[in-house]
Amino acid sequence: MMEKIIFALITVMIIFLLPPLLDGISRKVKAKIQYRVGASIFQTYYDLQSLLNMEPILPTERLAFRIAPYIAFASALAATLVLPFGSFVPVAFTGDFFVFLYVLAMFSVAMMIAGFSVNNSYTNAGANREMMLILSIEPVLGVAIGVFALNAHSLSIGGIPLNITFTPSLILAYVLLAYAVYVEGGFIPFDIAEAETEILEGPLCEYSGRLLGMFKWAMLIKRLALLWLFVSFLVLPIMKNIVDITTFTGGLATLVAQLVVLFIIYGIIAIIEASNARLRIDQAIRQNTKVFFAGLVVLLIAALGW
Amino acid sequence: MKYLEELKAKFGERIEEIKQLAHNQWLITVDKDILHEVVVYFLKHPEWKETQLSTMVGTDERPLRGKFSVTYWLSVNGNSDDVYIGIKAYLPADDPRFKSVTPLHKGANWYEREVQDLLGIIPEGHPDPRKLVLPDDWPSCVYPLRKDFHYSDSPQGEKYYPYREPPQGTTVHPIGPYHVALDEPAHFRLYVKGEEIIDCDYRGFYSHRGIEKISESRLTYDQICFIAERICGICGFTHSTAYCQAVEAAGEIEVPERALYIRTIMLELERLHSHLLWIGVACHLTGFDTGFMHAWRLREHVMWLCERLTGNRKTYGINLVGGVRRDFLDYRKEMIEDVLKKLKSEFGKLVDDLTSTKTFIKRCEGVGVLPYKLAHEWSVDGPLGRGSGRDFDVRRDHPYAAYGDLDFKVPVYKEGDVLARALVRIEETWESIWIIEQALDQLPGGDILAEYKEIPPYREAIGTTEAPRGENVHYVMTGPGNTVYRYRARAATYNNLPAVPDMLRGYTIADAPLIIASIDPCYSCTERVQIVDIESGKVRILKEEEFNKLSIKASRRV
Amino acid sequence: MPVTLRYPFTELEAPPEYRGLPHIDPKLCIGCGACVNACPPDAILRIDDYDRGTRKIVLDIGRCIRCARCEEVCPTGAIRLTNLFEAASPDRRDHIEVVELRLVRCKVCGNYTDFTERQVKKALQILPKEILEEEALEEKVFICRNCRRKGTVDATINATKEVVL
C-alpha cells in the first residue's frame, strides 16, 4: 500500500510539475543553439505563476470562453492518467487506449471552443487550423497505437508495452508513433494552430491572466502525455527484460529510465524545433495524409503478422 | 539628351521650356493639358525599357509666381541612359487640376493622392481618390503643405475613412495597425474566404510626421541632414546622402573625393546590416528563430563596427551638405577589414543553414509572386523589382558617391516570389562586402568636407541613392537665406507598398506576413515625418502622479 | 559561447567613439548660444531673463538626437557628448540640465544686455591687445547695444555740429 502511495505521489509530481521544467530545458537548449544566454530553466514556472495570479480580461460573456481552459486542462490530465508510470498506472482498464485518443481529441475540442467563442478572425482561423490539424493527425496516432495493440493483442496502454513481440512492422509503428506524437504536440514546424507571427497564438489570442495560464499549463501537460506514451512504449519493453517491473525497486528503476529517456527526447525535440520553420496548414495536412496512408500499409503488414 | 527632338516634334509648341539642371537631370516644362501624355510617352518609350516613375512633387509656388506646380520625375534605368527627367506643369492658383496619370500607369496612384491630400491639387480621373497621407480626423480643405499653413497648427475634424466594401462572401481579417509581424503601424485589411485572401485594402501613413513641412519651415540646410537621416531607422544614411546630393547638385558644390568614398563605405555597411536584418525577420516570421538569431548575431558585428566608425550603431549622423564629418583613421580601417573577414566566413555558413532548412524554403518558394509586367506597372524598385526580373540599380545606372569607380554585379531573378527576393538580397550582401573591400583599397586622401558659399535660391535638383529597399529620391528646391523652399523625400517602400495587394491575392493568411515583409517595408520612411513645437508647448509632459491616476482610471474601466 | 550579455545585470561600457548623452560643463560654458543655433531638434534653449539679469542654457536630453553638432560649434569645449547611454529615469526633470549665467548690466542705462559676463571675459581674452586698446573696447563692452548706438549717434551729431560750426 505504502509503495502505491509513493508511486502515486511521484506520478502527481511528474504530471503537474515536470512539464514546465521540460519547457524551460527546451528553451535553454534552443538558446544554446542560438548562441544566447537564455532564460533560467525555471522561467516557465515563473511565467505560469505570474499568469495564474492575474485576473483575466474577458472579451465575451460566453461561458464557453471561460470554461474552455479548464476542459483543456482536465482532458490533458485525463490523458496522463491512463499511462504507466513505472509499474503504476493510475487508472487502468481494458480499452483505455480509446480513452486516451478521446481525451486528446477533447483537448483540441476545447481549443476550438475557445477559438470559436469569440468573434475574432484570428481565433477563428486558429480554431479552424486546430480542427484541420487534429483531423489529419488523430488517425495517424490511432493507426500507430493500433499496430501496437495488434502486435501485443491488448487494448490497454499499460498492457501493450509489456506484451509486444519484436517484428519489422513494430519498428515502422515506432516511427509512426514518433511522428504522430510530434505533430500532435504542436512542436515547430507544426505549431500552426498557435502560429504567433501569423495569427497571434490563434485560439489563445483573446485569453489573458489565469485563463491563459491554465491553457498554457494544459498544453504542456498534453505534450507530456504524448511524449510519456512514446517513452513508455520505448522503455517498458526493454526494462521488462532487465528488471521485474512489478516489484517496488523494479518499478522505480523503470520510472527513472522513463524520465531519463523523456529528458533526452525533449532535448532532441528542442533541436529539431530550433532547426525548422513553421509549415503552412495545407503543407502539413498533405504531409499528414501521406503518413496516414503509409500507416495503413504498416497496419496491413502488422495484420499479416510480420 | 536623346529623343528631345522626337519629343518636340510630337508635342511642338506645347512644350514650354527645356532646362538642364545637373549633368544627368533635365526639367521639361509643359502645358498642363498634355502633362499626362508626356509622362506616359517617356514611361512607355520603346527604347527605354526600365524607365520608371521615381517621384512626383507638388509645390505651392504661389508666393513666387502665383501658381501651383506638379513635377513628375522619371528615371531612365537599365543600361539605356543615365538620365532623370522632370516633367513639370504649372497649374492656376484658383483651380489647381491636372489629368491623372494613374489610369495609364498604376504607379502614379499614391503620388497623385498625396498631392491631393497635402496641397489640394486635384488629379482628374483618378480611379481611387481616397485620402492617403492625412489622418482620418483631418478636416477636408486644409492643406498642410501650402505655404499659408503654419507648421505647428493641428486642426481636428470628424473621424472617418471609407474602407472598401468586402467582396461577396468574404470576411475581414485585419493585419495591423498593430500586429507582431509588422514592426511599424500599417493596416492591411484582408478580405478572406477561409484562409484564402480574395482582396486587400491598405491604410497606412500612421507614422506620417510632417518632416517635409518642418524642413521647409524651421530648419537650415545642415540641420535637415539629421532629420533626413531620421526618416528611417534602418536605412537612414541613404536618406541623408540623397538629401545632401540633392542640395549639392542644386548648389553646384563639389564634394571631396575622400568624402564620397567614406559615404560609399557607410552606405554599403548599412546595406549589409539591413539585408541581414531582413533575413532575420523573414526567418522569424516563418517560426525559424534560429535563423533569426544568427542573422542578427552577424548583423551585430556590423552595428558595432558602425558604432566605432561614426559614434553610433545606427543614425550615423556623419553627413553634411558638402561631405562628411568624421574621417576614417587607420585603426578604423583595420576594424573594417576584421569585420569583413568575420562576415565572409560566417555569412556563408548562415546561407548554407537557410538553404538547407527545407521547411523555410518551402514557405518562401512560389509565394507572393509579382510578375514582371505588374512590377513595371507599379514602378516597384530595389530587390523587389530585381526579384521580378527588372534589371536596374541606381548604383550602376546613375552612379553617385564613389560607385562609378567600383566594380560590382547586380543580381536579377525572374521568378518574382519571396525566395527570389531573398536570393537577390543574399547576393547583394556578398556584393556589398566586395564593394567595401574595393573602396577601402582605393580610399583617396584629402579633405572630407567642402566649404561652400551661399546656395542660390529657387534652384531645383534631385538626389537619388539605392537604399537597401530600392531607390530613394529626394527633391530639393532651394530657398532664400540658408533654408529649403520645397523638400520632398521619397523612400523605396513608397513605390513598393502599393503593389502588395497584388502580391497577396490568392495566397493564404499564413503567407501574408511573409509576403508583406518580403518587400522589406519601411513604413516610417514611406510616411515621413510631425514635430511638436516646443514654444507652443504642445508636448504635455505628464507628471508621475497624473500618469498613475490616468492608468488607474483606464484599468477601472476594464 | 553565448554572445548575449546579462545586461542590465552586468556593466556595459560604450566604445570611446560613442556619441552618448551630452553634458555641459558649467565652469566652461560662457552662454554664447552657438549650440542653440546649431541644434537640429531644439534640444538646447537659451532663455534670457532681463529682470533678474540671468541667461539660462537649458539642455533637454529627452529631445537630444546625439548628433554632436553642439560639440562641434562650442567655442570653449563646454558641451561634450559623454559615452554614457543610460537615460532612463522615473523623473522627467532628470533629463534636463540648466546652466545659469549672469548677464552684463549696462554701465550707462543700468539695464541688462543680451550677453553674459563670461562672454565678455572670453572675448577680451582672445582679442589681440592692440585692437582692445585702439577701439577702447574694455569700456565699450559693458555698454548695451542701445546705449552704444546712442553714443555713436550722439558722437556723430556732435562731430557734425562742430564741422558745421
Side-chain angles (χ1 to χ4, degrees), chain C residues 27-47:
Chain C
K27 285 194 196 108
L28 291 175
C29 180
I30 58 168
C32 64
C35 49
V36 178
N37 294 335
C39 183
D42 283 356
I44 316 176
L45 297 180
R46 177 180 46 203
I47 303 165

Side-chain angles (χ1 to χ4, degrees), chain A residues 240-259:
Chain A
K240 77 168 185 207
N241 298 327
I242 304 171
V243 292
D244 183 5
I245 290 179
T246 47
T247 63
F248 178 68
T249 43
L252 211 55
T254 313
L255 189 56
V256 171
Q258 277 177 306
L259 281 172

Side-chain angles (χ1 to χ4, degrees), chain B residues 13 153 165 176 200 236 288 300 421 448 456 489 495-496 527 557:
Chain B
E13 294 284 287
D153 286 354
E165 281 296 309
C200 170
F288 182 35
E300 206 62 13
R421 284 161 222 153
I448 53 165
N495 271 19
N496 292 343
E527 300 165 6
R557 223 174 294 140

Side-chain angles (χ1 to χ4, degrees), chain B residues 43 45 55 65-67 82 86 103 123 181-182 238 266 282 291 310 321 348 365 423 438 450 452 454 472 478 552-553:
Chain B
L43 277 175
H45 198 287
T55 188
R65 53 181 98 211
K67 285 171 179 174
D82 173 13
L182 305 169
T238 68
M266 291 319 298
T310 66
V321 173
E365 213 172 1
L423 291 173
Q438 289 177 62
Y452 59 91
E454 201 181 322
N472 277 352
T478 59
I552 290 167
K553 228 192 215 165

Side-chain angles (χ1 to χ4, degrees), chain B residues 110-185:
Chain B
W110 278 23
Y111 292 109
E112 292 176 353
R113 282 163 75 184
E114 184 174 331
V115 291
Q116 179 178 291
D117 272 17
L118 297 178
L119 284 148
I121 299 175
I122 293 157
E124 282 179 315
H126 194 290
D128 180 20
R130 289 181 298 170
K131 213 182 246 183
L132 178 75
V133 178
L134 294 175
D136 293 355
D137 59 356
W138 191 275
S140 53
C141 301
V142 179
Y143 304 112
L145 272 189
R146 288 192 175 181
K147 292 290 171 193
D148 46 17
F149 182 89
H150 191 261
Y151 72 90
S152 61
D153 286 354
S154 57
Q156 277 235 318
E158 208 171 307
K159 195 173 169 186
Y160 171 70
Y161 190 76
Y163 286 106
R164 250 186 278 151
E165 281 296 309
Q168 198 93 54
T170 59
T171 46
V172 176
H173 182 83
I175 294 193
Y178 299 103
H179 186 283
V180 270
L182 305 169
D183 22 50
E184 288 171 70

